[in-house]
Amino acid sequence: MALIRLSDVSYTYGAGYALQGINMAARKGELVGIIGPNGSGKSTLFKIIDGLLRPSQGVVYLAGLPLARKTRKQIAGQVAMVPQENYFLFPFSVKEVVLMGRFPHKGIFQFEGDTDLKIAQEAMELSKCDHLGDRSIHELSGGERQRVLIARALAQEPQVLLMDEPTTFLDIRFRKEFFELVSSLCSQRGLCSLVISHDIDLASMYCHRIIMLKEGRIYAEGSPTEVVTSENIGEVFGCPVLVDKNPVTQTPRVNII
Ligand code: ADP
Ligand code: MG
């Protein structure tokens, strides 16, 4: 069964459509890459799936039930998002930020217990930021902060994980490790994960399926080999490329020409 399903979803911020007629679904254990140029509606799509924005038209279903009938806390118990922008007003420690991920699983006035601390610790180890535990979130590099936000999302123990350009500040090793981590969480723990990324080659290596957006609509959808073609990338990004195959993994490789 689809954990997430969007049925004819459109969204407008006021002037024109940011998303139009979106039909898509993602299952348990699936890793789906979302690609598309700046302004094509990728972040808006995630805000709709996370319930931060209500569709102007259409319905979002989470595990078969309309998202609109759920409270924020109920949604947060099932869906975690690593947002594109992040800003912390207070100099929380890394550990505190990761523990915030436990919030949807707590009652009012209920403090973190040993289980929460253990889950937070494991999440920090998985995203390789456990050595930063006592540091202030304000004193980290972009890549370190991104790994902390990934840990916070994992500590939330979601069924659906949405990550909006999570590899932007990561170096080449952490980019690969990030995709390996998410890929193993999907296959071993049955997580359903949607990743927005401009790392088209890496997304092609690890994602089961790619959805390509253009001007708020789905332009192409299918396996990486079906979607990541010279024609599609050239047309959607307006940039001539030659897509061939990575000689080792045999997955699509984008060469700018
Ligand atoms: P992407 O993540 O693919 O770069 P977005 O979903 O952020 O694209 O934006 C899609 C479109 O919606 C863009 O044209 C953008 O300018 C517009 N948009 C995004 N956020 C807002 C907002 N808060 N108010 C008005 N327009 C917005
Ligand atoms: Mg965006």
Side-chain angles (χ1 to χ4, degrees):
M1 186 184 69
L3 266 181
I4 284 288
R5 190 159 71 81
L6 276 71
S7 171
D8 202 22
V9 165
S10 298
Y11 186 81
T12 174
Y13 288 102
Y17 280 102
L19 285 176
Q20 203 166 2
I22 302 288
N23 289 293
M24 59 170 277
R27 290 186 308 276
K28 197 172 149 62
E30 206 177 14
L31 175 51
V32 181
I34 313 281
I35 64 174
N38 299 143
S40 57
K42 305 180 298 296
S43 296
T44 304
L45 176 70
F46 272 15
K47 287 174 191 164
I48 284 193
I49 297 176
D50 197 27
L52 294 171
L53 297 175
R54 289 255 168 122
S56 310
Q57 285 157 46
V59 186
V60 180
Y61 296 92
L62 177 57
L65 297 172
L67 196 68
R69 294 218 206 117
K70 293 175 185 274
T71 65
R72 257 297 341 111
K73 196 165 174 179
Q74 282 170 337
I75 296 171
Q78 291 176 287
V79 182
M81 170 142 83
V82 176
Q84 187 171 12
E85 303 93 16
N86 62 80
Y87 175 71
F88 289 89
L89 192 56
F90 297 105
F92 295 111
S93 76
V94 165
K95 232 181 250 165
E96 285 170 328
V97 170
V98 176
L99 272 169
M100 287 173 196
R102 298 302 302 154
F103 163 74
H105 301 286
K106 316 276 8 158
I108 301 173
F109 303 128
Q110 197 184 355
F111 291 105
E112 299 91 9
D114 288 346
T115 313
D116 300 309
L117 292 170
K118 198 170 145 263
I119 290 168
Q121 178 63 28
E122 194 200 359
M124 289 194 288
E125 283 166 17
L126 282 173
S127 75
K128 306 240 164 58
C129 63
D130 47 318
H131 61 293
L132 302 170
D134 296 321
R135 295 266 299 274
S136 155
I137 191 78
H138 286 168
E139 293 164 8
L140 302 182
S141 77
E144 287 168 337
R145 194 163 55 237
Q146 209 138 24
R147 300 208 306 276
V148 173
L149 294 173
I150 292 166
R152 180 177 69 175
L154 296 179
Q156 215 169 314
E157 294 194 306
Q159 293 171 277
V160 177
L161 181 56
L162 307 172
M163 291 186 276
D164 196 345
E165 301 194 23
T167 55
T168 307
F169 297 108
L170 302 185
D171 68 35
I172 183 168
R173 176 188 141 202
F174 282 125
R175 277 171 196 231
K176 177 166 191 277
E177 287 188 1
F178 163 80
F179 272 101
E180 278 184 348
L181 169 63
V182 178
S183 168
S184 73
L185 290 170
C186 292
S187 59
Q188 288 166 24
R189 299 193 191 183
L191 202 69
C192 165
S193 196
L194 275 57
V195 180
I196 294 173
S197 185
H198 292 300
D199 278 321
I200 301 176
D201 294 5
L202 270 174
S204 299
M205 267 186 219
Y206 289 95
C207 294
H208 302 118
R209 198 149 52 88
I210 304 267
I211 293 175
M212 188 184 235
L213 291 182
K214 184 188 182 202
E215 294 167 4
R217 293 173 180 274
I218 294 181
Y219 181 84
E221 179 180 359
S223 70
T225 314
E226 286 166 342
V227 175
V228 181
T229 62
S230 307
E231 295 73 28
N232 283 350
I233 300 277
E235 171 65 27
V236 166
F237 287 87
C239 173
V241 297
L242 176 73
V243 176
D244 60 3
K245 278 186 176 169
N246 178 311
V248 177
T249 59
Q250 299 297 317
T251 49
R253 175 176 69 177
V254 180
N255 302 282
I256 297 166
I257 52 174

